[in-house]
């Protein structure tokens, strides 16, 4: 009995994009991969478009040429969704700020913290650093002053600033309360601004905070 080679239409298995990503990340052309595997460029192209699902021996050839574990082609992506209401409160050491970790605790590559900042909120008078490679801060609403060594950056809604994690810095808000879009920030009596920051964290909760919101920002820390 001849072996039956299933096509992409016979199932939901789609491996083409993973193979193409593995090839292009190694800067290999279709011609180079075809030479390494003994397959034709057209056939490899069809596999990468998921027009056909190759046999196991063919997959082994491709994976060996790409130094790719064959099992990785069939792994489900690790997708995790966290509702804001379920995100744990944390404490990054700031004052007049409510912070929530909105990425899974198990994720080390990037951590995002959503923080609601009140008027005169601050990261402290002393400059600090974050144990990450890169920090990205985006202002959603309101204003924020980023304090660096020898300079200050006045950020407004829509501004984004990027700097290395080891850069000494702190931040503060002023006394103005911007008008915030209802669903973009958490609510506790009134609309509040929010900050998203990935980084190191400790469990915590907001206590004794009152007043109008000062700004809504998002910050990302990348490992």
């Amino acid at each position: 009995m001849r072996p039956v080679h299933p096509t992409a239409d016979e199932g939901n298995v789609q491996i083409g994009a993973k193979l193409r990503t593995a090839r292009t990340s190694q800067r290999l052309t279709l011609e180079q991969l075809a030479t390494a595997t003994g397959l034709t460029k057209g056939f490899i192209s069809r596999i990468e478009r998921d027009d056909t699902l190759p046999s196991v021996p063919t997959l082994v050839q491709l994976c060996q040429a790409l130094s790719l574990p064959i099992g990785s082609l069939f792994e489900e992506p690790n997708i995790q969704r966290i509702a804001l209401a379920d995100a744990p409160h944390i404490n990054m050491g700031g004052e007049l700020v409510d912070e929530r970790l909105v990425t899974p605790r198990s994720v080390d590559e990037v951590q995002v913290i959503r923080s609601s900042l009140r008027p005169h909120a601050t990261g402290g008078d002393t400059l600090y650093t974050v144990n990450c490679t890169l920090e990205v801060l985006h202002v959603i609403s309101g204003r924020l002053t980023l304090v660096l060594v020898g300079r200050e950056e006045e950020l407004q809604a829509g501004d984004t600033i990027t700097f290395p994690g080891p850069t000494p810095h702190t931040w503060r808000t002023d006394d103005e309360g911007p008008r915030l879009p209802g669903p973009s920030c958490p609510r506790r009596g009134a609309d509040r601004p929010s900050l998203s920051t990935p980084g190191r964290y400790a469990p915590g909760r907001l206590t004794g905070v009152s007043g109008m919101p000062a700004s809504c920002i998002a910050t990302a820390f990348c490992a």
Side-chain angles (χ1 to χ4, degrees):
M1 179 181 294
R2 292 187 305 167
V4 177
H5 298 280
T7 64
D9 292 334
E10 294 175 347
N12 294 323
V13 178
Q14 294 187 329
I15 60 175
K18 292 183 179 180
L19 287 170
R20 181 171 58 251
T21 299
R23 175 178 62 80
T24 56
S25 66
Q26 298 178 47
R27 298 184 178 181
L28 292 174
T29 64
L30 282 171
E31 184 175 3
Q32 290 172 321
L33 184 57
T35 300
T37 58
L39 304 172
T40 66
K41 291 192 300 182
F43 184 51
I44 296 175
S45 179
R46 290 181 59 204
I47 294 173
E48 291 187 347
R49 296 196 308 270
D50 286 312
D51 287 341
T52 185
L53 186 63
S55 64
V56 172
T58 299
L59 277 182
V60 171
Q61 286 179 279
L62 288 168
C63 289
Q64 286 179 341
L66 295 170
S67 299
L68 185 69
I70 192 170
S72 66
L73 295 175
F74 304 95
E75 292 177 351
E76 290 292 331
N78 183 18
I79 300 174
Q80 302 183 58
R81 179 185 177 212
I82 297 179
L84 180 59
D86 298 329
H89 288 280
I90 64 170
N91 181 8
M92 292 287 288
E95 300 177 8
L96 300 179
V97 54
D98 181 16
E99 298 167 313
R100 289 174 179 260
L101 180 67
V102 296
T103 48
R105 293 182 183 272
S106 59
V107 174
D108 294 326
E109 294 82 2
V110 63
Q111 292 180 334
V112 179
I113 299 172
R114 178 180 175 126
S115 304
S116 301
L117 311 177
R118 293 291 185 175
H120 306 295
T122 176
D125 296 331
T126 303
L127 303 185
Y128 63 91
T129 61
V130 177
N131 184 21
C132 67
T133 301
L134 189 69
E135 182 170 347
V136 181
L137 184 143
H138 176 72
V139 180
I140 299 172
S141 178
R143 291 195 290 267
L144 181 85
T145 300
L146 180 67
V147 182
L148 304 162
V149 176
R151 61 186 285 193
E152 294 186 356
E153 294 285 345
E154 300 291 339
L155 305 175
Q156 301 182 16
D159 290 348
T160 303
I161 190 167
T162 304
F163 54 93
T167 303
H169 66 285
T170 188
W171 53 268
R172 66 175 182 268
T173 60
D174 57 23
D175 57 358
E176 289 190 19
R179 294 185 178 88
L180 301 179
S184 68
C185 300
R187 298 180 60 89
R188 181 174 295 176
D191 289 337
R192 300 179 301 173
S194 77
L195 157 76
S196 293
T197 311
R200 303 306 171 197
Y201 57 86
R205 60 182 301 179
L206 179 70
T207 58
V209 174
S210 62
M212 295 297 293
S215 61
C216 184
I217 62 177
T219 310
F221 297 104
C222 303

